Amino acid sequence: MPRPLPTLAALAGVFGVACFCFYVAHANATVAAVILLLAVLLTGIYANIIEAILASLAATLLLDYFFIPPVKAITIADPEGWVALLVFLAVSLIATNLSTRLHRQRDELLQQQRETEKLHALSRAMLFSSGEDMRRLILNKCMELFEFGDVVLFESATGQFHRSQAVSSLNDEQLWRAARNGSIEEDREAQITVFPVTLGNKTFGSLGLRGALLPQATLQALGSTVAVGLAQAQAQEAASRAEAVRKSEELKSVMLDALAHDLKTPLTVIEAATDVLLNSKELSDEQRRDLIEGIHEEEQELKRKVGEAIHLARIDAKRLQLQIEPVNARELIEAAVRSLGERAATHVIAIDYASNLPPVHGDRELLQEAVKQLLDNATKYSPPRSTINVSATAANGTISISVRDHGPGLTELEQTRVFDKFYRGRYDRSAVQGTGMGLAIAKEILEAHGGKITLESQVGQGSQFSITLPVGREADMDKTEI
């Protein structure tokens, strides 16, 4: 339909050109026809087809009225006038049609350029996503670049619907059908489009849009771009799963190697002491007692290492059930010190705790194990007869238990990895015995209780490990398996 203002402007322009040619330039019919044709061409460039046709008809009438005898009359006196007028009308209509087609093609090219730029921006965002959630990135970028009101992405591999809004007007059945059949569904009245997301012959899902209707070529390009993003995300997730499996296998291998090495020493001592007891008849009672005590100590060490491995295996398998009860921090520390046995006697353990500490609710045995691991770590890496400071304080609804040693301290790199399973630091097994499981076990236990473990260390000045536990009612604790 012709638009009122552009139509009036086109007619006024043609009328002004005709008046200028007649009253000012005193042009003849030929010159006036050329100038009016130029005005019609300009109208066709900047107006639509109906407006350009109206301008052509007006120019034809004005040419007849002002320049074809009889002048200032809508009549034609001779056949030559009819021929000139019809030729002008045909040329003006053809020129109008060509100019409007060029105008329309220019608009289409500009629109295609804008859509291509938007698709390029979407591709760049997915390429440089740097670990972001690819599905959420696709939804956000589609709404930002194409100004959609609502976007829903259906992923066939997982069967999940990813939505830009909590409540969506897009139908899940349509999305599922588009992914299955590879068809495009449009509702022009509601401005809803649902189309498949494909790359080559593989369908990754479908995309539903509301708020703008795009050409089919643009929809196909958008579907291919989104499919590339989904393929990239799925490939990264598959690689992550494969890497996790590889690391798990490496951890198992390291654990078996560490256990084999650390179990070999106590077994060798037990075997040697047993052989002496069985085969030597000249041992005194004191010598026999020393050998038996040695066997007992190595047996306890062997039991401790096997217990650590069992604890870690049960934690990894999510099969460790918390037995929640009120636990006194003072009793927890004293029990952990006692459980160290002879290792506690090689150092001075100074305990300092505030009076009237509130109890924490947790698994007594596991929390004692966590504190014991910190103490055991301190005794291993501190010089003999040095002091190990243990303190307990309460603040802001939490209880903090800290263990400070006077060992060699940890570098910044070691501090980032010290809680990893089987990590041993810069001291090899020949210097300090252990499997590297203790701090990892303590960390898992603390996190299962809603607490955390932190580290402060400086090379040459020792380390301080602190565990923080929330003080709360039993009902507030998470009793699920870990």
Side-chain angles (χ1 to χ4, degrees), residues 260-297:
H261 182 277
D262 290 326
L263 295 179
K264 183 178 180 180
T265 300
L267 287 174
T268 302
V269 173
I270 292 172
E271 181 183 11
T274 304
D275 287 341
V276 173
L277 288 172
L278 291 175
N279 299 321
S280 179
K281 299 180 180 179
E282 300 178 355
L283 294 175
S284 64
D285 293 341
E286 184 178 353
Q287 289 174 327
R288 290 180 182 275
R289 185 170 56 254
D290 289 341
L291 289 172
I292 292 173
E293 288 177 355
I295 292 174
H296 178 70
E297 290 177 4

mmCIF file of all heavy atoms in Angstrom, residues 260-297:
data_model
loop_
_atom_site.group_PDB
_atom_site.id
_atom_site.type_symbol
_atom_site.label_atom_id
_atom_site.label_comp_id
_atom_site.label_asym_id
_atom_site.label_seq_id
_atom_site.Cartn_x
_atom_site.Cartn_y
_atom_site.Cartn_z
ATOM 1 N N ALA A 260 52.171 -50.499 47.780
ATOM 2 C CA ALA A 260 53.133 -51.601 47.692
ATOM 3 C C ALA A 260 54.454 -51.218 48.334
ATOM 4 O O ALA A 260 55.079 -52.016 49.043
ATOM 5 C CB ALA A 260 53.341 -51.986 46.222
ATOM 6 N N HIS A 261 54.876 -49.957 48.095
ATOM 7 C CA HIS A 261 56.144 -49.515 48.660
ATOM 8 C C HIS A 261 56.056 -49.370 50.173
ATOM 9 O O HIS A 261 56.943 -49.803 50.926
ATOM 10 C CB HIS A 261 56.558 -48.191 48.016
ATOM 11 C CG HIS A 261 57.889 -47.686 48.509
ATOM 12 N ND1 HIS A 261 58.015 -46.974 49.693
ATOM 13 C CD2 HIS A 261 59.140 -47.782 47.975
ATOM 14 C CE1 HIS A 261 59.275 -46.660 49.866
ATOM 15 N NE2 HIS A 261 59.985 -47.128 48.836
ATOM 16 N N ASP A 262 54.968 -48.729 50.653
ATOM 17 C CA ASP A 262 54.863 -48.436 52.081
ATOM 18 C C ASP A 262 54.454 -49.643 52.912
ATOM 19 O O ASP A 262 54.707 -49.676 54.114
ATOM 20 C CB ASP A 262 53.863 -47.294 52.304
ATOM 21 C CG ASP A 262 54.411 -45.965 51.805
ATOM 22 O OD1 ASP A 262 55.626 -45.752 51.894
ATOM 23 O OD2 ASP A 262 53.616 -45.145 51.314
ATOM 24 N N LEU A 263 53.797 -50.624 52.287
ATOM 25 C CA LEU A 263 53.458 -51.840 53.027
ATOM 26 C C LEU A 263 54.645 -52.803 53.091
ATOM 27 O O LEU A 263 54.698 -53.674 53.969
ATOM 28 C CB LEU A 263 52.257 -52.536 52.381
ATOM 29 C CG LEU A 263 50.929 -51.775 52.415
ATOM 30 C CD1 LEU A 263 49.852 -52.588 51.722
ATOM 31 C CD2 LEU A 263 50.516 -51.437 53.831
ATOM 32 N N LYS A 264 55.558 -52.630 52.147
ATOM 33 C CA LYS A 264 56.694 -53.552 52.099
ATOM 34 C C LYS A 264 57.602 -53.398 53.327
ATOM 35 O O LYS A 264 58.093 -54.384 53.881
ATOM 36 C CB LYS A 264 57.480 -53.301 50.816
ATOM 37 C CG LYS A 264 58.653 -54.262 50.622
ATOM 38 C CD LYS A 264 59.355 -53.977 49.300
ATOM 39 C CE LYS A 264 60.522 -54.929 49.095
ATOM 40 N NZ LYS A 264 61.213 -54.674 47.807
ATOM 41 N N THR A 265 57.798 -52.132 53.769
ATOM 42 C CA THR A 265 58.707 -51.896 54.904
ATOM 43 C C THR A 265 58.228 -52.548 56.182
ATOM 44 O O THR A 265 58.971 -53.321 56.813
ATOM 45 C CB THR A 265 58.909 -50.385 55.095
ATOM 46 O OG1 THR A 265 59.466 -49.835 53.902
ATOM 47 C CG2 THR A 265 59.844 -50.108 56.268
ATOM 48 N N PRO A 266 56.979 -52.297 56.651
ATOM 49 C CA PRO A 266 56.558 -52.978 57.883
ATOM 50 C C PRO A 266 56.490 -54.491 57.743
ATOM 51 O O PRO A 266 56.793 -55.226 58.683
ATOM 52 C CB PRO A 266 55.173 -52.371 58.164
ATOM 53 C CG PRO A 266 54.723 -51.776 56.888
ATOM 54 C CD PRO A 266 55.946 -51.340 56.170
ATOM 55 N N LEU A 267 56.100 -54.975 56.570
ATOM 56 C CA LEU A 267 56.055 -56.423 56.384
ATOM 57 C C LEU A 267 57.464 -57.036 56.469
ATOM 58 O O LEU A 267 57.638 -58.130 57.012
ATOM 59 C CB LEU A 267 55.412 -56.761 55.035
ATOM 60 C CG LEU A 267 53.897 -56.545 54.946
ATOM 61 C CD1 LEU A 267 53.407 -56.761 53.522
ATOM 62 C CD2 LEU A 267 53.172 -57.495 55.906
ATOM 63 N N THR A 268 58.450 -56.319 55.929
ATOM 64 C CA THR A 268 59.826 -56.818 55.998
ATOM 65 C C THR A 268 60.315 -56.871 57.449
ATOM 66 O O THR A 268 60.965 -57.846 57.878
ATOM 67 C CB THR A 268 60.747 -55.909 55.167
ATOM 68 O OG1 THR A 268 60.285 -55.880 53.823
ATOM 69 C CG2 THR A 268 62.185 -56.414 55.201
ATOM 70 N N VAL A 269 59.985 -55.814 58.219
ATOM 71 C CA VAL A 269 60.395 -55.789 59.627
ATOM 72 C C VAL A 269 59.714 -56.908 60.399
ATOM 73 O O VAL A 269 60.351 -57.624 61.206
ATOM 74 C CB VAL A 269 60.067 -54.417 60.244
ATOM 75 C CG1 VAL A 269 60.337 -54.433 61.750
ATOM 76 C CG2 VAL A 269 60.879 -53.324 59.567
ATOM 77 N N ILE A 270 58.414 -57.100 60.156
ATOM 78 C CA ILE A 270 57.674 -58.153 60.850
ATOM 79 C C ILE A 270 58.234 -59.528 60.503
ATOM 80 O O ILE A 270 58.414 -60.406 61.360
ATOM 81 C CB ILE A 270 56.170 -58.058 60.507
ATOM 82 C CG1 ILE A 270 55.571 -56.783 61.109
ATOM 83 C CG2 ILE A 270 55.423 -59.282 61.013
ATOM 84 C CD1 ILE A 270 54.140 -56.511 60.664
ATOM 85 N N GLU A 271 58.521 -59.698 59.214
ATOM 86 C CA GLU A 271 59.058 -60.993 58.768
ATOM 87 C C GLU A 271 60.408 -61.280 59.416
ATOM 88 O O GLU A 271 60.675 -62.391 59.898
ATOM 89 C CB GLU A 271 59.179 -61.005 57.254
ATOM 90 C CG GLU A 271 59.708 -62.325 56.700
ATOM 91 C CD GLU A 271 59.884 -62.285 55.195
ATOM 92 O OE1 GLU A 271 59.800 -61.168 54.621
ATOM 93 O OE2 GLU A 271 60.114 -63.347 54.602
ATOM 94 N N ALA A 272 61.286 -60.265 59.456
ATOM 95 C CA ALA A 272 62.620 -60.453 60.034
ATOM 96 C C ALA A 272 62.531 -60.755 61.530
ATOM 97 O O ALA A 272 63.205 -61.663 62.046
ATOM 98 C CB ALA A 272 63.465 -59.209 59.784
ATOM 99 N N ALA A 273 61.692 -59.989 62.257
ATOM 100 C CA ALA A 273 61.547 -60.209 63.693
ATOM 101 C C ALA A 273 60.951 -61.577 63.978
ATOM 102 O O ALA A 273 61.357 -62.277 64.930
ATOM 103 C CB ALA A 273 60.683 -59.099 64.301
ATOM 104 N N THR A 274 60.000 -61.982 63.159
ATOM 105 C CA THR A 274 59.378 -63.292 63.351
ATOM 106 C C THR A 274 60.386 -64.419 63.128
ATOM 107 O O THR A 274 60.423 -65.416 63.878
ATOM 108 C CB THR A 274 58.178 -63.453 62.400
ATOM 109 O OG1 THR A 274 57.272 -62.385 62.606
ATOM 110 C CG2 THR A 274 57.456 -64.764 62.672
ATOM 111 N N ASP A 275 61.223 -64.282 62.088
ATOM 112 C CA ASP A 275 62.250 -65.297 61.832
ATOM 113 C C ASP A 275 63.220 -65.422 63.007
ATOM 114 O O ASP A 275 63.618 -66.533 63.398
ATOM 115 C CB ASP A 275 63.018 -64.946 60.559
ATOM 116 C CG ASP A 275 62.196 -65.183 59.310
ATOM 117 O OD1 ASP A 275 61.196 -65.931 59.394
ATOM 118 O OD2 ASP A 275 62.529 -64.605 58.252
ATOM 119 N N VAL A 276 63.595 -64.276 63.568
ATOM 120 C CA VAL A 276 64.527 -64.310 64.705
ATOM 121 C C VAL A 276 63.882 -65.002 65.890
ATOM 122 O O VAL A 276 64.506 -65.843 66.573
ATOM 123 C CB VAL A 276 64.971 -62.882 65.076
ATOM 124 C CG1 VAL A 276 65.793 -62.896 66.369
ATOM 125 C CG2 VAL A 276 65.797 -62.274 63.948
ATOM 126 N N LEU A 277 62.616 -64.680 66.153
ATOM 127 C CA LEU A 277 61.924 -65.291 67.293
ATOM 128 C C LEU A 277 61.761 -66.794 67.115
ATOM 129 O O LEU A 277 61.852 -67.571 68.065
ATOM 130 C CB LEU A 277 60.556 -64.637 67.488
ATOM 131 C CG LEU A 277 60.549 -63.203 68.053
ATOM 132 C CD1 LEU A 277 59.130 -62.623 68.003
ATOM 133 C CD2 LEU A 277 61.055 -63.194 69.494
ATOM 134 N N LEU A 278 61.504 -67.218 65.874
ATOM 135 C CA LEU A 278 61.255 -68.645 65.636
ATOM 136 C C LEU A 278 62.538 -69.459 65.587
ATOM 137 O O LEU A 278 62.565 -70.628 66.014
ATOM 138 C CB LEU A 278 60.482 -68.814 64.320
ATOM 139 C CG LEU A 278 59.028 -68.319 64.320
ATOM 140 C CD1 LEU A 278 58.430 -68.448 62.926
ATOM 141 C CD2 LEU A 278 58.192 -69.112 65.315
ATOM 142 N N ASN A 279 63.620 -68.860 65.079
ATOM 143 C CA ASN A 279 64.815 -69.648 64.806
ATOM 144 C C ASN A 279 65.946 -69.462 65.812
ATOM 145 O O ASN A 279 66.891 -70.239 65.827
ATOM 146 C CB ASN A 279 65.340 -69.325 63.401
ATOM 147 C CG ASN A 279 64.316 -69.662 62.330
ATOM 148 O OD1 ASN A 279 63.621 -70.677 62.438
ATOM 149 N ND2 ASN A 279 64.205 -68.816 61.311
ATOM 150 N N SER A 280 65.878 -68.409 66.633
ATOM 151 C CA SER A 280 66.966 -68.175 67.586
ATOM 152 C C SER A 280 66.555 -68.666 68.973
ATOM 153 O O SER A 280 65.497 -68.287 69.486
ATOM 154 C CB SER A 280 67.306 -66.678 67.634
ATOM 155 O OG SER A 280 68.342 -66.453 68.569
ATOM 156 N N LYS A 281 67.428 -69.487 69.572
ATOM 157 C CA LYS A 281 67.138 -70.042 70.901
ATOM 158 C C LYS A 281 67.953 -69.357 72.008
ATOM 159 O O LYS A 281 67.828 -69.708 73.180
ATOM 160 C CB LYS A 281 67.450 -71.537 70.917
ATOM 161 C CG LYS A 281 66.620 -72.330 69.930
ATOM 162 C CD LYS A 281 66.974 -73.809 69.986
ATOM 163 C CE LYS A 281 66.144 -74.609 68.999
ATOM 164 N NZ LYS A 281 66.483 -76.055 69.009
ATOM 165 N N GLU A 282 68.775 -68.379 71.614
ATOM 166 C CA GLU A 282 69.649 -67.747 72.592
ATOM 167 C C GLU A 282 69.211 -66.326 72.932
ATOM 168 O O GLU A 282 69.991 -65.537 73.445
ATOM 169 C CB GLU A 282 71.081 -67.725 72.056
ATOM 170 C CG GLU A 282 71.634 -69.113 71.779
ATOM 171 C CD GLU A 282 73.038 -69.060 71.208
ATOM 172 O OE1 GLU A 282 73.506 -67.910 70.952
ATOM 173 O OE2 GLU A 282 73.647 -70.121 71.026
ATOM 174 N N LEU A 283 67.984 -65.967 72.640
ATOM 175 C CA LEU A 283 67.482 -64.629 72.923
ATOM 176 C C LEU A 283 67.098 -64.503 74.387
ATOM 177 O O LEU A 283 66.473 -65.398 74.974
ATOM 178 C CB LEU A 283 66.258 -64.314 72.050
ATOM 179 C CG LEU A 283 66.511 -64.203 70.541
ATOM 180 C CD1 LEU A 283 65.186 -64.010 69.816
ATOM 181 C CD2 LEU A 283 67.466 -63.072 70.224
ATOM 182 N N SER A 284 67.444 -63.361 74.971
ATOM 183 C CA SER A 284 67.017 -63.091 76.349
ATOM 184 C C SER A 284 65.576 -62.599 76.337
ATOM 185 O O SER A 284 65.012 -62.277 75.290
ATOM 186 C CB SER A 284 67.932 -62.041 76.980
ATOM 187 O OG SER A 284 67.795 -60.798 76.270
ATOM 188 N N ASP A 285 64.983 -62.541 77.506
ATOM 189 C CA ASP A 285 63.609 -62.057 77.615
ATOM 190 C C ASP A 285 63.481 -60.621 77.135
ATOM 191 O O ASP A 285 62.474 -60.244 76.504
ATOM 192 C CB ASP A 285 63.127 -62.170 79.063
ATOM 193 C CG ASP A 285 62.987 -63.624 79.506
ATOM 194 O OD1 ASP A 285 62.900 -64.491 78.606
ATOM 195 O OD2 ASP A 285 62.955 -63.870 80.718
ATOM 196 N N GLU A 286 64.497 -59.798 77.434
ATOM 197 C CA GLU A 286 64.445 -58.391 77.010
ATOM 198 C C GLU A 286 64.509 -58.282 75.492
ATOM 199 O O GLU A 286 63.797 -57.483 74.883
ATOM 200 C CB GLU A 286 65.608 -57.633 77.642
ATOM 201 C CG GLU A 286 65.577 -56.138 77.333
ATOM 202 C CD GLU A 286 66.713 -55.395 78.008
ATOM 203 O OE1 GLU A 286 67.445 -56.009 78.809
ATOM 204 O OE2 GLU A 286 66.843 -54.182 77.728
ATOM 205 N N GLN A 287 65.353 -59.105 74.867
ATOM 206 C CA GLN A 287 65.444 -59.085 73.408
ATOM 207 C C GLN A 287 64.137 -59.553 72.768
ATOM 208 O O GLN A 287 63.684 -58.993 71.761
ATOM 209 C CB GLN A 287 66.606 -59.981 72.959
ATOM 210 C CG GLN A 287 67.973 -59.407 73.284
ATOM 211 C CD GLN A 287 69.090 -60.371 72.955
ATOM 212 O OE1 GLN A 287 68.930 -61.595 73.066
ATOM 213 N NE2 GLN A 287 70.255 -59.834 72.558
ATOM 214 N N ARG A 288 63.561 -60.598 73.340
ATOM 215 C CA ARG A 288 62.268 -61.074 72.813
ATOM 216 C C ARG A 288 61.197 -59.979 72.936
ATOM 217 O O ARG A 288 60.385 -59.773 72.033
ATOM 218 C CB ARG A 288 61.824 -62.333 73.556
ATOM 219 C CG ARG A 288 62.657 -63.552 73.243
ATOM 220 C CD ARG A 288 62.165 -64.774 74.003
ATOM 221 N NE ARG A 288 63.012 -65.926 73.725
ATOM 222 C CZ ARG A 288 62.852 -66.727 72.663
ATOM 223 N NH1 ARG A 288 61.873 -66.476 71.812
ATOM 224 N NH2 ARG A 288 63.663 -67.754 72.470
ATOM 225 N N ARG A 289 61.207 -59.291 74.098
ATOM 226 C CA ARG A 289 60.221 -58.225 74.300
ATOM 227 C C ARG A 289 60.421 -57.092 73.290
ATOM 228 O O ARG A 289 59.453 -56.556 72.729
ATOM 229 C CB ARG A 289 60.315 -57.707 75.723
ATOM 230 C CG ARG A 289 59.218 -56.667 76.041
ATOM 231 C CD ARG A 289 59.168 -56.337 77.528
ATOM 232 N NE ARG A 289 60.466 -55.867 78.022
ATOM 233 C CZ ARG A 289 61.267 -56.601 78.786
ATOM 234 N NH1 ARG A 289 60.923 -57.851 79.143
ATOM 235 N NH2 ARG A 289 62.438 -56.120 79.208
ATOM 236 N N ASP A 290 61.685 -56.756 73.007
ATOM 237 C CA ASP A 290 61.954 -55.695 72.019
ATOM 238 C C ASP A 290 61.460 -56.101 70.633
ATOM 239 O O ASP A 290 60.883 -55.287 69.895
ATOM 240 C CB ASP A 290 63.454 -55.393 71.976
ATOM 241 C CG ASP A 290 63.933 -54.679 73.229
ATOM 242 O OD1 ASP A 290 63.073 -54.109 73.946
ATOM 243 O OD2 ASP A 290 65.152 -54.690 73.495
ATOM 244 N N LEU A 291 61.711 -57.354 70.272
ATOM 245 C CA LEU A 291 61.247 -57.824 68.952
ATOM 246 C C LEU A 291 59.723 -57.819 68.859
ATOM 247 O O LEU A 291 59.132 -57.425 67.840
ATOM 248 C CB LEU A 291 61.796 -59.219 68.676
ATOM 249 C CG LEU A 291 63.299 -59.317 68.396
ATOM 250 C CD1 LEU A 291 63.730 -60.777 68.329
ATOM 251 C CD2 LEU A 291 63.642 -58.599 67.101
ATOM 252 N N ILE A 292 59.073 -58.260 69.931
ATOM 253 C CA ILE A 292 57.612 -58.290 69.927
ATOM 254 C C ILE A 292 57.049 -56.873 69.864
ATOM 255 O O ILE A 292 56.067 -56.602 69.152
ATOM 256 C CB ILE A 292 57.103 -59.042 71.176
ATOM 257 C CG1 ILE A 292 57.473 -60.529 71.072
ATOM 258 C CG2 ILE A 292 55.594 -58.876 71.318
ATOM 259 C CD1 ILE A 292 57.173 -61.328 72.330
ATOM 260 N N GLU A 293 57.663 -55.936 70.601
ATOM 261 C CA GLU A 293 57.211 -54.547 70.532
ATOM 262 C C GLU A 293 57.412 -53.976 69.122
ATOM 263 O O GLU A 293 56.573 -53.221 68.623
ATOM 264 C CB GLU A 293 57.966 -53.701 71.554
ATOM 265 C CG GLU A 293 57.554 -53.967 72.994
ATOM 266 C CD GLU A 293 58.379 -53.149 73.980
ATOM 267 O OE1 GLU A 293 59.322 -52.460 73.526
ATOM 268 O OE2 GLU A 293 58.076 -53.191 75.190
ATOM 269 N N GLY A 294 58.526 -54.353 68.499
ATOM 270 C CA GLY A 294 58.751 -53.907 67.124
ATOM 271 C C GLY A 294 57.699 -54.449 66.171
ATOM 272 O O GLY A 294 57.198 -53.730 65.297
ATOM 273 N N ILE A 295 57.363 -55.728 66.344
ATOM 274 C CA ILE A 295 56.299 -56.324 65.511
ATOM 275 C C ILE A 295 54.985 -55.595 65.745
ATOM 276 O O ILE A 295 54.238 -55.292 64.805
ATOM 277 C CB ILE A 295 56.168 -57.826 65.824
ATOM 278 C CG1 ILE A 295 57.422 -58.582 65.347
ATOM 279 C CG2 ILE A 295 54.920 -58.398 65.168
ATOM 280 C CD1 ILE A 295 57.432 -60.037 65.750
ATOM 281 N N HIS A 296 54.692 -55.276 67.001
ATOM 282 C CA HIS A 296 53.441 -54.593 67.327
ATOM 283 C C HIS A 296 53.388 -53.197 66.688
ATOM 284 O O HIS A 296 52.351 -52.796 66.118
ATOM 285 C CB HIS A 296 53.295 -54.486 68.846
ATOM 286 C CG HIS A 296 52.055 -53.747 69.259
ATOM 287 N ND1 HIS A 296 50.795 -54.259 69.106
ATOM 288 C CD2 HIS A 296 51.905 -52.502 69.824
ATOM 289 C CE1 HIS A 296 49.903 -53.398 69.552
ATOM 290 N NE2 HIS A 296 50.559 -52.320 70.007
ATOM 291 N N GLU A 297 54.498 -52.464 66.776
ATOM 292 C CA GLU A 297 54.530 -51.123 66.185
ATOM 293 C C GLU A 297 54.337 -51.180 64.668
ATOM 294 O O GLU A 297 53.572 -50.395 64.099
ATOM 295 C CB GLU A 297 55.855 -50.446 66.527
ATOM 296 C CG GLU A 297 55.996 -50.059 67.987
ATOM 297 C CD GLU A 297 57.360 -49.454 68.276
ATOM 298 O OE1 GLU A 297 58.147 -49.283 67.301
ATOM 299 O OE2 GLU A 297 57.651 -49.155 69.447
#
